[in-house]
Each structure stands twice: as C-alpha cells, then as structure tokens.
Amino acid sequence: MYGALSMQGKVAIITGGAGGIGQATAELIIGRGGKAVIADINLESATSVAARFGDAALAVELDLLEEDSIRAMIAKVMGHFGRIDVLHNNAAATGADVVSADGAVGDMPTWVWDRLFSVNCRGTMIATREALPHLIEAKGSIVNTVSGLGLQGHIRSAAYGATKAAIIQLTRSIATAYGRQGVRCNAVAPGLVLTETVARDFPTKWRKLVEDETLRDRAGAPEDIAEAVAFLASDAARNITGQTLASDGGVSVHIPGFAAYTAAFAELAAG
Ligand SMILES: NC(=O)c1ccc[n+]([C@@H]2O[C@H](COP(=O)([O-])OP(=O)(O)OC[C@H]3O[C@@H](n4cnc5c(N)ncnc54)[C@H](O)[C@@H]3O)[C@@H](O)[C@H]2O)c1
C-alpha cells in the first residue's frame, strides 16, 4: 500500500519516543505496518504511548546516560521482536533546567555542557554501537534527530548546537564506515517544532520571531518531522546516506533579514 515507504516487517527503535517528535514517528511507522520500540527515560509515558498500539509497540525504559541501560534496552528488543531494522536516535536532554542554562560560552556552566554531550552525543554513539550488529544483519537504517541549531549559530544554546553539529558529523562517519555492509545513516534537522512542551513553554514573542522567518504560514508540527524520519528510514531512501535533511519550513535557506525585508517591501507596497 505504501510501496517503498512501507515499514511492513520492520522493527524501529525510537529513543525519546514517549512524546513529541518521537511519539509522532512511532505512530507513523506503525501506521505503515512497522513495529515501534518506545525507548525513553520516562517509562510511564512510554508505556501509555505503547499501550495505544497493542502488539505493534513495546515500551522500554532507557537512560542514555547509562551504558548498561542502553545494552539492556537492545537486549529487550532482540528478546521481544528478534530484529532491529531502524534506530531513530531522537532523545535529547530537553529538560527546562538544561535548556534555560544553555546560553553563550562565556556563561556556560560545565555541568550543562557535560549533560548535553553525555545524553545527546555519547548516548547516540553508544546506542548506535550496540544496535549496529543487528542493523547490519537486517541491512537497516539509522536516523538521527539533529537541529537547525547544529547548522547555524545562535546567541544561546551553544552546547546544544555543538552536540547536534557533532551528531551531523557522526552521521557521515557511520554512513561511510557501514554503507558497504548495507547500513544507511541520515539525520533530520528540524526547525522549531510545536510539540506540547514547546507550545506550552516557548514564549509567544520568540515563537513569532521564528514564524516570521518561516516560508510556510506556521511552525512545524511533530508529524512533519516524523514524515522526514519515516522516509529516510524506509527503502524509498535506499540511495540516500550520510545526509542531513532540514525540515524547517525553509528557515535555513533564505538570506539573513528575510523577515525585515518582507516587512519593508510590504510597507513600500502600501505606499
Ligand atoms: N521541538 C523542537 O522545536 C525541536 C527542534 C529541533 C530539534 N529537536 C530535537 O528533536 C528531538 C525530540 O525532541 P522533542 O521536541 O520531541 O522533545 P521531547 O522533550 O518531547 O522529547 C525528548 C524525549 O527524550 C527523553 N529523554 C530525555 N533524556 C533522556 C535520557 N537520558 N535517556 C532516554 N530518554 C531521554 C525525554 O523523556 C523525552 O521523551 C530532540 O533530539 C530535540 O533536540 C526538537
């Protein structure tokens, strides 16, 4: 029914699957015939997400800070489903404590830098390393969730941006090292995505700043990012590896000052 986009018979691990982008990705993959592992530090939410999909989903507790927890998660998936076709490295340290303290380098608390690198980068590397033998066996695919902040500078989020830039490079390294063994590795770089958390916590004034730079009429939704992830994870993307696909409504493609030019030309046209 979905042609090369079909996920029939495929098992996908989605880290950070208990909410936001990860949850939307799990739903889409299951909708296309696949099975999803909702692997998250928040087991309660992971369990309630998985419960919606019956046998097609499995909730597993995962703390990316703990190597043993990552190994145990992979073992549980193999014990339950017996294969791993897709690893979606999507979880990140997105807690308010970390996000609010992640400013510019001059004021960077060392613990914030360490936490972000430990969860985002080290976690992604270890999860990939532990899943690789199974991915090679299945000729599978890895999709990393990165961010526009890993591609462009900002006056805040220096640590977060550096982790995402590192994962973009890791994506190329993994693609290069394991491509001949049948494993592809790509990344999706979302712009602002209105997850429940962002819709609740992100100040409206800041949200408008991003929306003014967007070439659509609104910021992204988790389902928009899930579409890009599911495409890259599927056989439809069989010739694509090592790439970072921006799903940001065009925010990253235009000249600096786009919003200001748009307002200035509108003013001019109005006379
Ligand atoms: N929402 C956005 O605007 C946006 C923009 C660009 C990139 N992203 C990226 O998208 C991904 C998903 O973010 P989201 O917006 O859906 O946020 P989210 O907070 O809903 O999802 C993050 C998930 O990761 C889990 N998590 C946190 N620490 C963990 C750990 N140590 N071990 C295992 N799981 C852990 C959380 O419990 C949560 O379910 C992240 O990589 C984020 O950096 C989001």
Side-chain angles (χ1 to χ4, degrees), residues 221-236:
E223 293 73 20
D224 296 329
I225 311 307
E227 290 284 356
V229 174
F231 163 66
L232 289 171
S234 77
D235 293 343

Side-chain angles (χ1 to χ4, degrees), residues 162-175:
T163 68
K164 296 298 188 175
I167 297 170
I168 289 169
Q169 178 55 21
L170 192 63
T171 299
R172 297 187 193 106
S173 301
I174 294 165

Side-chain angles (χ1 to χ4, degrees), residues 16-22 39-42 62-65 90-94 119 145-148 160 164 190-195 197-198:
I21 292 166
D40 205 288
I41 197 165
N42 185 341
L62 167 72
D63 183 355
L64 284 166
L65 288 170
N90 169 74
T94 54
V119 176
T145 308
V146 291
S147 168
Y160 175 80
K164 296 298 188 175
L192 182 68
V193 179
L194 297 182
T195 58
T197 319
V198 170

